[in-house]
């Protein structure tokens, strides 16, 4: 048996590089996407920077603990089909210089946000992260919201450098919401104005800081629990935060400051699939609505059919038919692009669901599904009504399935905002689904007012919810498909 060595800087040499990037997020996706790309770009000599990771909510995490033990080292395992042949790549990522939790190491956090070398902030706080919350104390050491934390961070930096315009930061947001960087910028300025911070600071944010809108794309199932012993044997290291992903990757960076990123962080010159453009709207509409919207819509349906992975779901004929029909009938017609090219794009996207090497757990995709559905699926519902005066029945069925999954009486334990789950349970009434749905959609859970924008939304969702709860998902789904032949 091959010797399994401890993975740390004593076993693997790491180059000392300046830390120009602070990353809000230590999870699987950013490590298999952003930090993986930085490592390749460092290796090829097109950039010279490492990254420091912190927990977005500032608390401690198991991943941070392991990163510390392994001196920021970990492996990314990529598998898939390329040109008809199976392909596998393993990379030992060395771009992480530090990992910490501000709650336990606040001085470290202050050191980084006031560092003259710091230039970029990368974030993935999930769709729920970039939200405006009333009453956030941006002058506290640890404001409760991500926009509040960013406001505090920038104010500290502005004061530390006496408003030096050269010390502004570039934000590269990876959250899957529309206009992610633009939205964060708007909330930061709003927080600053409402907190009565100096006009000179607000002007510095506007003039010296850049907030890029981005689109990220790579399926990352995460830690390969089922095969980790075999992987450790293969790599020869006791790596406890291996990340598994697909070969495909795309990073589109646009909006304010995209030229700055292209010049100062030219990842494309390392042969990476990174695109810089003034607007990413067309990319975002296609990718988020087709890939992520399909994932988010499929998950509550498939979980209630006993499926565990994306592959399980697509091997179910009813789920397969449901998703493909939803994309063809509702999603694609609402995207303004050549229909034939759009169909080819959709086929290539959906084909990735069949990757036999990726065990993508539905329970992982289900994380924060309430905000994900609003960010990924609602736009199709809204556009269908606005353009055709019709209800997007397939998308509405996915919302009903989500409410059924989250509601009382199931074995599923939602990993979502606790107050939102409590609200759903508090208004739930199995004897009156129309009232239940109406109270949920008109609650603070959602930013948009679904019923106001799409009259009839709540009644139709309640109809599908009643069928799912009364007949079970299998019969409800088959009846739905039969009715929409």
């Amino acid at each position: 048996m091959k010797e399994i060595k401890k993975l740390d800087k004593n076993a693997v040499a790491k180059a000392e590089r300046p830390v120009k990037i602070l990353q809000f997020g230590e999870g699987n996706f950013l490590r298999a996407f952003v930090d993986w790309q930085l490592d390749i770009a460092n290796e090829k000599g097109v950039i010279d920077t490492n990254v420091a990771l912190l927990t977005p909510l500032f608390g401690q995490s198991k991943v941070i603990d392991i990163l510390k033990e392994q001196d920021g080292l970990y492996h990314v395992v990529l598998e898939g089909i390329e040109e008809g042949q199976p392909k596998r790549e393993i990379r030992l990522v060395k771009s992480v210089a530090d990992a910490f939790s501000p709650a336990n190491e606040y001085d470290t956090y202050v050191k980084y946000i006031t560092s003259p070398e710091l230039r970029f902030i990368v974030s993935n706080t999930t769709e729920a992260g970039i939200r405006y919350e009333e009453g956030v104390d941006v002058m506290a050491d640890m404001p409760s919201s991500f926009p509040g934390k960013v406001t505090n961070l920038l104010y500290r930096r502005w004061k530390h450098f006496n408003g030096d315009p050269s010390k502004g930061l570039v934000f590269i947001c990876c959250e899957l919401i529309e206009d992610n960087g633009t939205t964060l910028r708007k909330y930061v300025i709003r927080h600053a104005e409402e907190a009565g911070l100096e006009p000179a600071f607000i002007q510095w944010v506007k003039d010296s800081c850049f907030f890029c809108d981005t689109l990220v794309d790579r399926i990352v199932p995460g830690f390969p629990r089922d095969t980790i012993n075999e992987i450790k044997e293969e790599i020869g290291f006791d790596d406890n935060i291996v990340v598994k992903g697909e070969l495909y990757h795309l990073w589109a960076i646009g909006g304010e400051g995209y030229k700055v990123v292209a010049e100062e962080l030219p990842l494309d010159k390392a042969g990476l699939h990174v695109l810089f453009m003034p607007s990413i709207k067309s990319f975002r509409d296609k990718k988020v609505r087709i890939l992520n919207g399909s994932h988010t819509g499929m998950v509550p349906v498939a979980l209630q059919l006993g499926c565990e992975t994306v592959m399980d779901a697509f091997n179910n004929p009813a789920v397969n038919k449901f998703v493909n029909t939803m994309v063809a009938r509702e999603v694609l017609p609402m995207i303004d692009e050549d229909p034939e090219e759009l169909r080819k794009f959709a086929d290539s996207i959906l084909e990735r669901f069949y990757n036999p090497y990726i065990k993508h757990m539905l329970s992982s995709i289900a994380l924060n599904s309430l905000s994900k559905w609003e960010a990924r699926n609602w736009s199709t519902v809204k556009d269908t009504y606005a353009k055709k005066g019709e209800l997007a029945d397939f998308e509405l069925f996915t919302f009903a399935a989500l409410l059924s999954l989250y509601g009382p009486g199931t074995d599923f334990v939602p990993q979502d905002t606790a107050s939102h789950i409590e609200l759903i349970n508090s208004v739930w009434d199995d004897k009156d689904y129309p009232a239940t749905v109406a109270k949920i959609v008109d609650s603070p859970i959602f930013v948009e007012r679904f019923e106001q924008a799409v009259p009839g939304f709540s009644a139709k969702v309640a109809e599908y919810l009643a069928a799912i709860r009364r007949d079970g998902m299998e019969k409800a789904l088959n009846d739905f498909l039969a009715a929409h032949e």
Side-chain angles (χ1 to χ4, degrees), residues 409-430:
T410 70
D411 295 331
F412 182 76
V413 179
Q415 299 297 308
D416 214 313
T417 305
S419 61
H420 295 169
I421 305 304
E422 291 171 6
L423 190 151
I424 290 173
N425 279 275
S426 70
V427 303
W428 195 273
D429 183 356
D430 283 311

Side-chain angles (χ1 to χ4, degrees), residues 106-147:
Y106 195 73
D107 289 345
T108 300
Y109 175 66
V110 173
K111 178 191 75 173
Y112 281 115
I113 67 176
T114 56
S115 165
E117 295 178 331
L118 186 65
R119 179 58 169 159
F120 299 96
I121 302 288
V122 172
S123 68
N124 184 14
T125 57
T126 78
E127 286 83 347
I130 302 181
R131 295 177 72 125
Y132 186 82
E133 297 179 13
E134 298 286 350
V136 172
D137 182 3
V138 298
M139 300 307 293
D141 284 347
M142 293 184 280
S144 57
S145 73
F146 178 58

Side-chain angles (χ1 to χ4, degrees), residues 107-315:
D107 289 345
T108 300
Y109 175 66
V110 173
K111 178 191 75 173
Y112 281 115
I113 67 176
T114 56
S115 165
E117 295 178 331
L118 186 65
R119 179 58 169 159
F120 299 96
I121 302 288
V122 172
S123 68
N124 184 14
T125 57
T126 78
E127 286 83 347
I130 302 181
R131 295 177 72 125
Y132 186 82
E133 297 179 13
E134 298 286 350
V136 172
D137 182 3
V138 298
M139 300 307 293
D141 284 347
M142 293 184 280
S144 57
S145 73
F146 178 58
K149 290 179 174 69
V150 172
T151 307
N152 178 278
L153 179 161
L154 289 175
Y155 187 66
R156 282 174 175 264
R157 187 172 179 84
W158 175 75
K159 293 196 75 173
H160 184 81
F161 290 108
N162 297 312
D164 185 343
S166 71
K167 294 299 186 289
L169 299 178
V170 182
F171 289 80
I172 309 176
C173 301
C174 298
E175 292 83 356
L176 284 174
I177 65 167
E178 193 167 359
D179 302 328
N180 44 23
T182 301
T183 302
L184 178 61
R185 179 184 188 272
K186 178 177 69 175
Y187 292 161
V188 166
I189 292 172
R190 182 176 172 185
H191 275 308
E193 290 174 342
E194 293 184 353
L197 300 183
E198 293 94 321
F201 164 68
I202 296 172
Q203 199 61 46
W204 179 80
V205 172
K206 292 178 179 179
D207 295 341
S208 302
C209 298
F210 300 96
F211 294 77
C212 298
D213 296 322
T214 80
L215 174 71
V216 296
D217 193 2
R218 166 169 274 174
I219 296 173
V220 179
F223 186 69
R225 194 171 307 279
D226 293 350
T227 58
I228 187 59
N229 291 333
E230 292 88 338
I231 290 174
K232 287 182 179 181
E233 175 76 15
E234 180 180 4
I235 61 180
F237 287 106
D238 184 25
D239 185 350
N240 292 300
I241 45 172
V242 173
V243 191
K244 190 170 182 180
E246 66 172 339
L247 291 166
Y248 179 86
H249 73 282
L250 166 69
W251 200 356
I253 300 175
E256 179 188 88
Y258 80 95
K259 290 183 179 179
V260 175
V261 183
E263 180 180 344
E264 298 183 28
L265 205 66
L267 299 174
D268 55 326
K269 290 182 170 56
L272 296 160
H273 196 188
V274 180
L275 308 175
F276 298 100
M277 62 195 72
S279 173
I280 62 165
K281 186 179 187 309
S282 63
F283 272 85
R284 187 194 179 282
D285 282 352
K286 289 192 296 185
K287 187 265 181 178
V288 172
R289 293 193 187 198
I290 297 170
L291 175 63
N292 302 101
S294 295
H295 267 157
T296 299
M298 171 192 66
V299 163
V301 175
L303 281 172
Q304 290 174 90
L305 289 169
C307 301
E308 294 185 352
T309 67
V310 171
M311 184 66 76
D312 290 341
F314 269 76
N315 283 336

